């Protein structure tokens, strides 16, 4: 059984476009990786695409592992690699950094737009590289040079299904932009292709014969891209082949005048400015989606196999960079996985939940929100979905994080946190004192993240964790069946007296281990990243390609990998998955410079695949340790990290600009 999505080998059409972009405005704050190229700002002159590099032609038939880009506004393709790999953009003469520009599968085509300044590419796998120059960048104003002027709030201007044409020719559809300033010389668009059927591609340009390249391409998978469209050459059109629901959102425009003469348009490389990393604003759990009742979806029905559900987070403010969601799958039709990701990015090759037919599986997911304040849920197999909002991460506000080595706050079997050894009674509420225990101060803590485990339940039911000075919400944090052991990470606001309440539907033992506490007086903040796999013992990622043996400890280097900086990170949030376990047991994740605690992060049975989100403090060397009671394969996908340091962050929404 695979514990995560495994990309199939594909040929033919280009199938995925990863565009790293940004919206820069006072109302929207960065949520992505810092620029890896030293572009200090400038003015842009757009031009018709001009082919500069093509390793397939002109005698350069060998695939490349390095490529000099030079400078300018560029569209870069990566295609026809014999195996999957990553691409890193970096200043020429310097070593590649830890944050990749993009990733690709074997024989996949990936498009990116880049502002380069003496820039080079390094590829982990040989791949053909094609580069079209679509503009130049100057560091001084001129009559033809333009600056990027972002909209305070992005505006959707096109949302419709573009049907497949009856021929192999390209179809065109005109687009009305609405209220674009008269001074705008070009428009900057976010492109989303939703629910595509088969293979296809799309380009947005003036309504004249399109160029050779596409802005996005797809093959039965959601795709995201970006376009700079010249408005001086007449009306704008969408040219496409293949069928998909296409949405165009105006991020801003290019103009000769504006508030910042050196503002660059959105791409990977962008001006950066020091801002505080986002803090957590814990909320009383709020149900956003329940496909069983039709909440958050059209009609009461499960997600179909291969379907992507887009959810707009109405609770997200302009300062919200990410959200904490408790996500539950129930009544799945077959073995599969669920991936949660920001809708303005392509679906990552990572999973948040794995499930088998008929199983109910919860997991806490910290995920960045898109430029349109949305989050997407992809279901590999048909399943009902429940989503509860637990909190938001706020740039320049919210509570700072204080990561902790795991500390047991509650164990009804011992007893810890309760007076006597006894199961929590079904239908009743257990009040847990948190403030003043386990390293959490008696005053000043606003919320906690803890790993809550149900074990030996008397029947099928659920557990809800909430602040004791609020009414119990309809949301649940864990779902379980008779005799099952189920863990889940929970972020919850503390009551005014420093307590949290745990309601259990059925009588069961409860265990809770502290992972992080939050204080408005502290500066640690959460930095979300696009999920990136840093460990897979099946494939030799982060460790040898072999199962972790029973009773042994695997040391995993995290700092400097998966978007986590080499220094400055205090803790990481990872989705850890156990698969192909040799027996019933548990896994504990902890900082390697601490003694292994009695807490566990995952519990599993023989052969079971179990994921759980884990927030764990990093050791001084940037490592975490994973102890396996039984022989298992382990996977870990980084979702974000915490840092006390102010970082250079892009003043934008995605990556860059």
């Amino acid at each position: 059984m695979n514990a995560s999505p495994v990309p199939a080998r594909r040929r033919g059409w280009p199938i995925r476009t990863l565009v790293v972009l940004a919206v820069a405005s006072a109302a929207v704050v960065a949520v992505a990786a810092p620029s890896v190229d030293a572009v200090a700002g400038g003015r842009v002159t757009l031009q018709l695409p001009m082919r500069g590099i093509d390793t397939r032609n002109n005698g350069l038939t060998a695939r490349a592992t390095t490529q000099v880009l030079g400078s300018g506004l560029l569209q870069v393709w990566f295609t026809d690699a014999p195996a999957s790999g990553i691409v890193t953009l970096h200043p020429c003469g310097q070593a590649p950094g830890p944050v990749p520009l993009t990733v690709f599968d074997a024989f996949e085509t990936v498009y990116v737009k880049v502002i380069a300044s003496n820039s080079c590419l390094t590829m982990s796998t040989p791949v053909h590289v094609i580069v079209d120059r679509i503009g130049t960048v100057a560091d001084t104003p001129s009559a033809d040079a333009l600056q990027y002027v972002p909209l305070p709030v992005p505006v959707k201007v096109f949302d419709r299904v573009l049907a497949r044409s009856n021929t192999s020719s390209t179809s065109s559809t005109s687009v009305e932009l609405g209220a674009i300033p008269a001074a705008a010389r070009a428009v900057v668009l976010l492109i989303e292709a939703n629910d595509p059927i088969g293979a296809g591609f799309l380009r947005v340009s003036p309504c004249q014969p399109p160029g050779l390249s596409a802005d996005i391409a797809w093959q039965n998978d959601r795709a995201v891209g970006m376009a700079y469209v010249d408005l001086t050459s007449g009306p704008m059109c969408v040219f496409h082949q293949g069928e998909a629901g296409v949405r165009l959102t105006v991020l801003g425009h290019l103009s000769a005048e504006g508030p910042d003469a050196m503002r660059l348009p959105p791409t990977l490389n962008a001006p950066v400015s020091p801002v505080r990393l986002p803090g957590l604003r814990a909320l009383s759990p709020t149900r956003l989606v329940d496909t069983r009742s039709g909440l958050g979806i059209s009609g009461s029905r499960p997600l179909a196999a291969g379907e992507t559900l887009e959810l707009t987070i109405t609770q997200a403010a302009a300062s919200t960079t990410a959200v904490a969601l408790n996500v539950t799958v129930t009544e799945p039709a077959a073995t599969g996985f669920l991936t949660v990701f920001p809708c303005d990015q392509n679906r990552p090759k990572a999973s948040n939940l794995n499930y088998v037919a008929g199983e109910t599986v919860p997991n806490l997911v910290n995920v960045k929100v898109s430029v349109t304040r949305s989050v997407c849920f992809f279901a590999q197999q048909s399943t009902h979905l429940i989503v509860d909002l637990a909190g938001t991460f706020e740039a320049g506000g919210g509570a700072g994080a204080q990561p902790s080595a795991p500390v047991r706050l509650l164990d009804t079997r011992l007893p810890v946190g309760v007076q006597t050894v006894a199961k929590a009674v079904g239908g009743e509420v257990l009040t847990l004192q948190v403030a003043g225990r386990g390293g959490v101060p008696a005053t000043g803590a606003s919320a906690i993240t803890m790993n809550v485990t149900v074990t030996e339940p008397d029947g099928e039911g659920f557990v809800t964790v909430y602040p004791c000075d609020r009414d119990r919400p309809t949301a649940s944090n864990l779902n379980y069946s008779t005799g099952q052991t189920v863990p889940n990470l929970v972020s919850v606001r503390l009551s005014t007296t420093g307590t949290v309440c745990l309601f259990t539907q059925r009588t069961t033992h409860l265990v809770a281990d502290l992972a992080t506490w939050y204080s408005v007086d502290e500066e640690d903040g959460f930095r979300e990243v696009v999920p990136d796999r840093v460990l897979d013992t099946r494939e030799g990622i982060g460790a040898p390609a072999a199962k972790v043996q029973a009773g042994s400890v695997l040391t995993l280097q995290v700092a400097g990998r998966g978007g986590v900086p080499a220094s400055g990170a205090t803790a990481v949030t990872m989705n850890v998955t156990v698969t192909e376990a040799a027996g019933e047991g548990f896994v504990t994740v902890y900082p390697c410079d601490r003694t292994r605690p009695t807490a566990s992060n995952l519990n599993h049975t023989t052969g079971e695949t179990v994921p759980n989100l884990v927030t764990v403090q990093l050791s001084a060397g940037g490592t975490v340790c994973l102890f396996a009671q039984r022989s298992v394969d382990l996977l870990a996908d980084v979702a974000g990290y915490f840092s006390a340091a102010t970082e250079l962050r892009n003043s934008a929404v995605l990556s860059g600009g």
Side-chain angles (χ1 to χ4, degrees):
M1 179 190 304
N2 289 329
S4 64
V6 178
R9 193 180 182 96
R10 311 179 182 115
R11 292 181 179 271
W13 290 102
I15 60 170
R16 187 168 66 91
T17 304
L18 177 62
V19 176
V20 193
L21 57 111
V23 182
S25 75
V28 184
V29 184
V31 296
S35 172
V36 296
D37 198 2
V39 179
R43 310 263 293 188
V44 170
T45 302
L46 296 180
Q47 66 180 55
L48 292 175
M50 179 180 296
R51 182 66 41 89
I53 299 168
D54 190 340
T55 59
R56 304 169 302 179
N57 300 326
N58 302 321
L60 302 176
T61 55
R63 297 177 177 91
T65 54
T66 61
Q67 182 64 58
V68 176
L69 289 181
S71 301
L73 184 59
L74 309 173
Q75 168 134 314
V76 186
W77 315 359
F78 304 95
T79 190
D80 200 29
S84 61
I86 65 171
V87 180
T88 304
L89 176 73
H90 56 94
C92 295
Q94 296 185 20
V99 181
L101 167 65
T102 189
V103 298
F104 54 82
D105 284 338
F107 305 105
E108 183 179 26
T109 296
V110 177
Y111 295 78
V112 294
K113 286 184 172 66
V114 172
I115 290 181
S117 176
N118 186 30
S119 301
C120 286
L121 297 171
T122 297
M123 284 72 72
S124 64
T125 301
V127 63
H128 278 306
V129 181
I130 303 98
V131 180
D132 289 338
R133 181 181 297 276
I134 58 176
T136 58
V137 180
D139 58 7
T140 57
S142 68
D144 296 327
L146 306 174
Q147 64 174 277
Y148 176 58
V149 182
L151 294 181
V153 178
V155 177
K156 182 174 65 177
V157 295
F158 185 91
D159 192 356
R160 58 182 292 187
V161 174
L162 298 180
R164 180 183 299 275
S165 65
N166 294 326
T167 67
S168 60
S169 62
T170 301
S171 300
S172 64
T173 306
S174 62
V175 176
E176 295 293 333
L177 286 176
I180 296 296
R185 303 265 291 276
V187 66
V188 179
L189 296 170
L190 175 70
I191 309 168
E192 299 169 85
N194 303 307
D195 302 320
I197 298 175
F201 62 86
L202 182 148
R203 178 182 175 86
V204 186
S205 66
C207 296
Q208 48 190 263
L212 298 176
S213 64
D215 289 310
I216 60 172
W218 62 81
Q219 183 168 317
N220 287 323
D221 201 359
R222 177 186 175 90
V224 179
M226 191 182 63
Y228 311 130
V229 185
D230 182 7
L231 297 178
T232 65
S233 301
M236 188 174 72
C237 284
V238 174
F239 297 87
H240 79 285
Q241 286 188 22
E243 181 171 337
V246 174
R247 178 187 302 151
L248 304 180
T249 301
V250 176
L251 305 179
H253 64 273
L254 296 171
S255 173
E257 302 293 337
D260 182 357
M262 302 301 283
R263 174 82 73 181
L264 289 170
T267 71
L268 174 71
N269 306 311
V272 292
S273 58
V275 299
R276 179 189 163 189
L277 295 179
L280 176 69
R281 179 169 62 97
L283 305 171
S284 293
T286 303
R287 181 140 297 175
L288 304 180
V289 175
D290 190 339
T291 60
R292 301 169 302 178
S293 64
L295 177 65
I297 193 172
S298 57
S300 55
R301 61 174 181 83
L303 267 67
E307 181 179 358
T308 298
L309 173 68
E310 180 172 353
L311 174 66
T312 298
I313 308 295
T314 58
Q315 294 84 353
S319 60
T320 302
T321 63
V323 289
L325 303 173
N326 198 67
V327 181
T328 303
V329 295
T330 189
E331 303 175 25
T335 298
F337 62 84
L338 185 87
T339 299
V340 188
F341 59 101
C343 295
D344 54 10
Q345 297 189 11
N346 292 285
R347 177 167 58 88
K349 295 172 177 61
S351 59
N352 297 95
L353 294 91
N354 295 74
Y355 48 82
V356 299
E359 187 178 30
T360 297
V361 180
N363 203 6
L364 185 71
V365 177
N366 292 337
V367 58
K368 61 192 294 189
V369 295
S370 76
V371 65
T372 54
R373 329 313 285 161
S374 60
V375 173
C376 278
F377 303 82
F378 170 82
Q380 186 195 27
Q381 300 292 341
S382 177
T383 182
H384 276 297
L385 177 67
I386 303 166
V387 179
D388 300 315
L389 178 66
T392 64
F393 290 94
E394 303 296 326
Q402 292 298 296
S404 167
V407 178
R408 183 140 294 175
L409 299 177
L410 172 67
D411 192 336
T412 59
R413 305 166 303 178
L414 289 181
V416 174
V418 289
Q419 296 297 316
T420 59
V421 174
K423 287 183 175 181
V425 178
E428 296 187 3
V429 174
L430 185 154
T431 299
L432 176 65
Q433 181 66 41
V434 174
R437 300 180 59 229
V440 181
T443 60
S446 61
I448 61 167
T449 296
M450 59 183 182
N451 199 61
V452 179
T453 303
V454 164
T455 189
E456 303 176 24
D458 290 354
E460 182 176 322
F462 63 86
V463 171
T464 298
V465 187
Y466 61 100
C468 294
D469 54 2
R470 299 291 180 92
D471 293 335
R472 177 167 60 90
T474 58
S476 62
N477 298 94
L478 295 91
N479 295 75
Y480 51 82
S481 56
T482 305
Q484 191 178 27
T485 298
V486 179
N488 197 21
L489 201 67
V490 174
S491 290
V492 57
R493 190 181 65 80
L494 296 181
S495 73
T496 55
T497 57
T499 60
V500 297
C501 280
L502 298 93
F503 170 84
T504 178
Q505 187 185 22
R506 305 295 182 191
T507 298
T508 183
H509 278 302
L510 292 174
V511 181
D513 301 310
L514 175 70
T516 303
W517 60 272
Y518 299 87
S519 170
V520 294
D521 296 326
E522 301 296 338
E523 291 297 318
D524 276 32
F526 178 72
R527 172 70 176 272
E528 70 292 324
V529 299
V530 177
D532 194 18
R533 183 143 296 171
V534 294
L535 174 66
D536 190 337
T537 59
R538 304 169 306 175
E539 299 183 8
I541 299 174
K547 281 188 172 182
V548 180
Q549 294 303 302
S552 66
V553 175
L554 184 152
T555 300
L556 176 64
Q557 180 66 39
V558 177
R561 301 179 60 225
V564 179
S567 62
T570 57
V572 294
T573 295
M574 304 189 301
N575 200 61
V576 179
T577 302
V578 166
T579 190
E580 301 178 18
E584 182 176 328
F586 63 86
V587 171
T588 299
V589 188
Y590 60 100
C592 294
D593 53 5
R594 301 288 184 90
T595 302
R596 176 167 61 89
T598 58
S600 63
N601 298 94
L602 295 92
N603 297 74
H604 56 81
T605 59
T606 304
E608 189 177 24
T609 297
V610 179
N612 197 21
L613 196 70
V614 173
T615 295
V616 57
Q617 193 174 25
L618 292 177
S619 73
T623 59
V624 298
C625 280
L626 298 95
F627 169 82
Q629 187 187 24
R630 306 296 183 193
S631 177
V632 295
D633 274 313
L634 291 175
L635 298 85
D637 301 313
V638 170
Y641 64 90
F642 295 87
S643 174
T646 296
E647 296 193 358
L648 289 179
R649 297 284 303 279
N650 299 316
S651 302
V653 167
L654 304 182
S655 294

